[in-house]
Amino acid sequence: MATFLYRLGRFSFRKRHFVALFWVALLALAGAGAAGAPAAGNSSFSIPGTEAQKAFDLLDERFPGASADGATARVVFKAPDGQKMTDPGNKAAVQDTVDELSGGAEVTQVTDPYQGGGVSQDGTVAYASVTYEVPGMELEESSREALKAAAEDARDSGLTVEIGGDALQAVPETGSAEIIGIGVAAVVLVITLGSLLAAGLPLLTAIVGVGIGVATITALASTLDLGSTTSILASMIGLAVGIDYALFVVSRYRAELAEGREREEAAGRAVGTAGSAVVFAGLTVVIALVGLSVVNIPMLTKMGIAAAGTVAVAVLIALTLIPAVLGYAGRRVRPAGEKSKLLGGGRAKDKADKPNMGTRWASFVVRRPLAVLLLGIVGLGAAAVPAGSLELGLPDDGSQPTSTTQRRAYDLLSEGFGPGFNGPLVVVVDAQGSDDPQAVFQQAGDEIKALDNVVNVAPAAPNKAGDTATIAVIPDAKPSSAATEDLVHDIRAAGADIKDGTGAEVLVTGATAMNIDVSQKLNDALVPYLVLVVGLAFLLLIVVFRSILVPLKAALGFLLSVLAALGAVVAVYQWGWLSGLMGVEETGPIMSMMPIFMVGVVFGLAMDYEVFLVTRIREAHVHGEKPAQAVVTGFRYSARVVTAAAVIMIAVFSGFIGSSDSMVKMIGFGLAIAVLFDAFVVRMAIVPAVLALLGAKAWWLPKWMDRALPNVDVEGESLAAHDGAADKDDEDKELVRA
């Protein structure tokens, strides 16, 4: 592989006009496709194999035209102090609002609070439900504006009016913090590479890669039903790995220049060595992201594949576009150790032989490996403690900031009707095979009323055929509570008894039941996912490092860092620690998809640092150094770059904490803290400590396996032959000149 990549690097350097034109054309093509594509909405949320999804599909079949997936809005009214919603003036204002909303172009139904039981017992709060014929993200802007205008008209009469539901759902925004993250990355690159131009190359190529990936996702969003969050997460991951991969190639190029090689040769060797590490690091990230498909949640699968595609583009750009732009830069990219004049270059190198920080740190760890190992494990273990209290759920209006009308509507409904009113359960009774469907509907309602934690059970509402009915159930507790989850299980248990006696099927759905089923499905999938992803990456790392213990150590270190990161997420977003600093206005359960998505992404990124760091150590070992000295040598050449890459990735991920989308916000924080733990505790402390303790045993591999495995030559050993060829070329050139 090293030889192939070496030739690819030299080709890209020589044919830089062709390579640059290819990537610019690809970016323009993707941009044109994105410009002409419909706007992305929310991906259709389905969870195959769950009872909630089965009931939802049954509603679509038995209640045609009911727009089961249509957007909904709850317009909530509160009377002024000392008044009731039943007062004539207030009642007239509500009636005007209902009439105004009923005339909407996409509205299918509006319920009158005074006819549908939408007034609280104390008479201070009322609500009108609005149902639309299309999902929330597909609503015309005119429909949203009409909804807001109707609420504003009601406010003019003196009422407090707020709007809940998904009709006001908007495309999430990442905020200005993302730009700050990129700015921090730029500063780190300048410090690391010692040149403004060299620092700009990874940023430029990463932006090109993310531009191609995000534009392609946008162009295909409508066709492939990709949600708006998909492109945000793809840009988050693509930008981080794109900068890092480019940084490693540029750093190796400068190191090769420092050894006296010509620029084309340096570009070839940089791609042949650092590029090999980029390929395998990128492959681990792709495996982790594509592996999300085993969860069998279409939205999560699409997010993973889209992000994996962006990572693949970042790898290809690092292997081709980076050597091409290095060719354009020429002598303005200086050898390692030299700085531009603007940054203080040109001074005497009287301290050239002084050990750098990586060398000093590695020497310290090699001298005290056991103490460093124990300290690292204990520290991560302490950070992981909150993960034992992890509670999963999906966000609702109750998790919105208190400044939003959705959150205020949620609070008004809780105040007037109880906390469970915001998460009603929809019980679907399929009595198609029953002799007396009406009796079955009555029996189901009676049994549900007898259960604990039930506030209200509405009369069964049958379809036109009379063989299927829906029963609305209001829990006593809020949607995300354990009591509501217990109630869902109790209804399902009662439904099993009804099926045994009558043959009718009783299913529970609705947003609350769907959340519970998603959490359970993700919990069940976590272990198989870990086995698949860690297993495949373990085999890949055996091929890369030709060792059993090094990949095993890499996997165990990853588990430590991801558990510590989950603990930090629980502490901030569930317990409320540092919530003000992180912009968390409402604590609650952790997003159901957060743990498994974070496991996938962090595993891929953790293997990035493992590959970049340990390949340098193995390279030194292969070239004859003793195990302890190889660790120090590996850190001498790679610690600075890995540290810079980690800081860049943390900065990029932290930028997404400012997003308006709670899932993006939480994932941004989780990935940033996970990279912090993995790069600076696991890879920089635990890894060298373990390698120092293992010594030569770290590189042990059974002989039969050594013979069976392909030699991918990540260290670039095969490139030694090119040194001889290069020397021969130099001699021939000298003879020609003579």
Side-chain angles (χ1 to χ4, degrees):
M1 174 178 283
T3 302
F4 168 76
L5 293 177
Y6 166 81
R7 291 170 179 165
L8 179 63
R10 294 194 65 166
F11 170 83
S12 300
F13 189 94
R14 285 197 311 271
K15 305 294 184 182
R16 47 187 171 273
H17 301 313
F18 169 77
V19 172
L21 183 62
F22 169 80
W23 284 109
V24 169
L26 195 59
L27 178 61
L29 183 64
N42 266 11
S43 177
S44 56
F45 192 78
S46 62
I47 307 96
T50 62
E51 180 174 316
Q53 186 64 46
K54 183 179 179 181
F56 189 82
D57 295 339
L58 186 64
L59 284 174
D60 267 348
E61 176 189 339
R62 303 287 174 82
F63 292 82
S67 300
D69 62 342
T72 59
R74 277 179 170 173
V75 183
V76 187
F77 308 89
K78 183 177 182 181
D81 292 341
Q83 297 183 26
K84 303 283 187 182
M85 287 306 304
T86 51
D87 293 346
N90 295 335
K91 191 171 182 179
V94 172
Q95 189 61 57
D96 289 342
T97 304
V98 170
D99 293 341
E100 185 178 347
L101 291 170
S102 298
E106 296 176 299
V107 174
T108 59
Q109 183 183 14
V110 180
T111 60
D112 188 323
Y114 303 100
Q115 296 178 8
V119 181
S120 63
Q121 287 187 347
D122 62 5
T124 60
V125 179
Y127 73 93
S129 294
V130 187
T131 306
Y132 294 86
E133 59 188 18
V134 295
M137 294 302 293
E138 296 178 17
L139 273 179
E140 295 287 343
E141 190 60 34
S142 58
S143 295
R144 292 196 182 94
E145 291 302 323
L147 179 61
K148 295 176 184 177
E152 193 59 42
D153 290 342
R155 290 189 186 104
D156 291 341
S157 67
L159 297 174
T160 298
V161 186
E162 305 295 348
I163 305 170
D166 61 353
L168 294 183
Q169 205 166 29
V171 175
E173 299 175 355
T174 54
S176 59
E178 181 184 354
I179 305 300
I180 297 175
I182 296 176
V184 172
V187 172
V188 174
L189 286 170
V190 170
I191 295 172
T192 304
L193 298 177
S195 163
L196 292 174
L197 179 64
L201 298 183
L203 279 177
L204 173 64
T205 56
I207 290 171
V208 170
V210 169
I212 292 171
V214 171
T216 303
I217 291 170
T218 304
L220 299 176
S222 180
T223 304
L224 301 181
D225 191 26
L226 303 176
S228 55
T229 305
T230 304
S231 60
I232 294 178
L233 295 176
S235 67
M236 178 195 301
I237 297 166
L239 188 62
V241 300
I243 294 174
D244 278 7
Y245 295 166
L247 170 62
F248 281 107
V249 174
V250 172
S251 297
R252 187 61 185 248
Y253 171 76
R254 296 178 71 235
E256 297 294 336
L257 289 179
E259 293 182 10
R261 291 189 171 86
E262 293 295 326
R263 294 186 178 275
E264 183 179 327
E265 176 69 13
R269 295 184 71 89
V271 175
T273 52
S276 297
V278 166
V279 169
F280 283 100
L283 196 53
T284 58
V285 180
V286 169
I287 288 174
L289 290 170
V290 174
L292 290 169
S293 58
V294 302
V295 183
N296 196 26
I297 294 179
M299 185 178 76
L300 194 59
T301 300
K302 293 171 185 175
M303 287 167 54
I305 292 175
T310 307
V311 171
V313 171
V315 171
L316 293 174
I317 281 181
L319 300 179
T320 58
L321 186 56
I322 281 292
V325 295
L326 287 172
Y328 284 117
R331 297 185 179 278
R332 284 169 291 185
V333 174
R334 299 168 180 271
E338 291 187 20
K339 295 182 179 180
S340 65
K341 292 182 179 180
L342 182 64
L343 297 173
R347 291 196 294 263
K349 298 181 181 179
D350 54 332
K351 297 183 180 180
D353 296 329
K354 183 180 179 180
N356 61 18
M357 181 66 74
T359 303
R360 295 196 296 272
W361 170 251
S363 300
F364 169 79
V365 174
V366 166
R367 289 196 304 271
R368 298 174 177 81
L370 190 58
V372 172
L373 178 63
L374 290 176
L375 185 62
I377 292 175
V378 170
L380 291 178
V385 169
S389 303
L390 178 68
E391 296 177 9
L392 298 178
L394 288 177
D396 54 20
D397 285 346
S399 61
Q400 296 268 13
T402 53
S403 59
T404 62
T405 186
Q406 293 96 325
R407 172 59 187 277
R408 292 196 293 263
Y410 180 97
D411 292 340
L412 284 177
L413 288 171
S414 296
E415 175 188 330
F417 299 91
F421 195 79
N422 283 292
L425 305 175
V426 180
V427 179
V428 183
V429 184
D430 179 8
Q432 194 173 55
S434 175
D435 295 333
D436 188 356
Q438 193 59 44
V440 174
F441 301 155
Q442 185 64 44
Q443 179 186 353
D446 292 341
E447 293 202 17
I448 293 171
K449 286 179 183 177
L451 297 174
D452 295 333
N453 301 317
V454 174
V455 171
N456 183 53
V457 179
N463 61 350
K464 289 183 179 179
D467 58 6
T468 308
T470 60
I471 301 173
V473 180
I474 305 299
D476 183 45
K478 64 181 182 179
S480 59
S481 67
T484 300
E485 182 175 350
D486 292 340
L487 176 59
V488 170
H489 294 314
D490 291 343
I491 294 174
R492 288 173 173 169
D497 295 337
I498 293 173
K499 184 175 183 178
D500 292 340
T502 65
E505 193 166 17
V506 178
L507 306 170
V508 186
T509 188
T512 301
M514 193 76 81
N515 292 354
I516 292 169
D517 286 353
V518 169
S519 299
Q520 187 60 50
K521 191 175 182 70
L522 290 166
N523 282 338
D524 294 342
L526 186 57
V527 172
Y529 173 71
L530 276 173
V531 171
L532 173 69
V533 172
V534 176
L536 286 175
F538 181 76
L539 295 176
L540 183 66
L541 291 177
I542 288 178
V543 174
V544 174
F545 296 129
R546 307 192 75 78
S547 163
I548 296 291
L549 296 179
V550 170
L552 180 62
K553 172 261 309 167
L556 293 176
F558 151 73
L559 291 175
L560 272 175
S561 59
V562 81
L563 284 174
L566 278 175
V569 170
V570 170
V572 173
Y573 289 90
Q574 188 176 308
W575 291 1
W577 294 5
L578 302 178
S579 56
L581 182 64
M582 296 298 166
V584 181
E585 295 191 26
E586 185 68 25
T587 59
I590 303 304
M591 187 86 56
S592 295
M593 287 182 286
M594 173 69 183
I596 199 163
F597 188 83
M598 192 169 79
V599 163
V601 176
V602 173
F603 180 77
L605 300 180
M607 295 307 103
D608 272 7
Y609 298 122
E610 181 74 15
V611 170
F612 288 132
L613 188 62
V614 180
T615 48
R616 265 297 197 172
I617 296 174
R618 176 171 168 74
E619 185 177 340
H621 181 66
V622 166
H623 290 148
E625 292 190 9
K626 293 182 179 180
Q629 183 57 42
V631 171
V632 176
T633 301
F635 268 69
R636 175 188 173 191
Y637 289 110
S638 61
R640 177 184 176 89
V641 181
V642 169
T643 300
V647 172
I648 289 168
M649 205 169 274
I650 291 168
V652 172
F653 288 148
S654 297
F656 288 85
I657 297 175
S659 172
S660 62
D661 186 279
S662 57
M663 180 175 179
V664 174
K665 180 192 292 283
M666 195 179 293
I667 288 178
F669 172 79
L671 294 182
I673 199 73
V675 170
L676 177 68
F677 288 148
D678 192 85
F680 293 104
V681 181
V682 175
R683 308 302 152 190
M684 287 292 175
I686 293 179
V687 165
V690 170
L691 290 177
L693 289 171
L694 290 175
K697 295 177 183 177
W699 309 108
W700 171 79
L701 187 70
K703 291 183 179 179
W704 64 268
M705 189 177 291
D706 188 43
R707 291 191 298 268
L709 291 177
N711 184 12
V712 295
D713 189 24
V714 177
E715 301 81 20
E717 188 72 14
S718 60
L719 298 183
H722 292 277
D723 279 339
D727 293 341
K728 182 69 167 58
D729 288 344
D730 291 340
E731 290 175 6
D732 292 342
K733 290 176 182 176
E734 289 298 327
L735 288 173
V736 170
R737 291 193 188 98

